[in-house]
Amino acid sequence: AVNNIVSVFLRADFLNETIFPQFTALYGINFGDFLLRPQVDYQIDDYLSVRLGMDIFLGSRSGLFGQFGAPARAHRNGYFTGRNDRIFLELKRSFEI
């Protein structure tokens, strides 16, 4: 089977290249499902940055992304799927050698 996905990536910078909002969207053509990922990076200094973002899953349960966004229900094997949107916070420290 072939799974076709279209992507869009937007990014900008503000305040002397210290704040970087970005948006990524992935659309599964076969099943009409989406992954939307807005996030903001803040460059504190040359070695330290913080990222705050969110993953939003939308669409039909049969799609690659929609399986995580559809209402939760138990499968025969006892595992649950769905409603897995998430918020993340990342702290990144770089080093020079």
Side-chain angles (χ1 to χ4, degrees):
V2 176
N3 192 4
N4 298 298
I5 298 173
V6 175
S7 64
V8 173
F9 177 76
L10 304 170
R11 182 176 167 115
D13 63 80
F14 297 99
L15 296 176
N16 250 356
E17 297 182 353
T18 57
I19 297 178
F20 301 91
Q22 74 182 42
F23 178 76
T24 306
L26 300 174
Y27 173 67
I29 295 172
N30 299 46
F31 300 102
D33 55 338
F34 288 92
L35 166 60
L36 306 175
R37 179 179 282 174
Q39 60 188 36
V40 176
D41 293 352
Y42 176 57
Q43 189 74 35
I44 298 169
D45 60 28
D46 289 342
Y47 304 104
L48 188 61
S49 66
V50 175
R51 174 179 291 168
L52 176 64
M54 182 175 192
D55 289 336
I56 303 166
F57 299 97
L58 303 167
S60 125
R61 178 177 293 286
S62 42
L64 177 64
F65 307 117
Q67 66 182 320
F68 302 111
R73 74 164 201 239
H75 286 283
R76 284 176 283 173
N77 59 9
Y79 291 100
F80 284 84
T81 63
R83 296 193 180 153
N84 290 311
D85 295 344
R86 62 183 176 180
I87 295 174
F88 57 88
L89 177 66
E90 176 183 308
L91 181 63
K92 182 178 173 183
R93 173 75 168 121
S94 302
F95 298 92
E96 247 184 67
I97 297 178

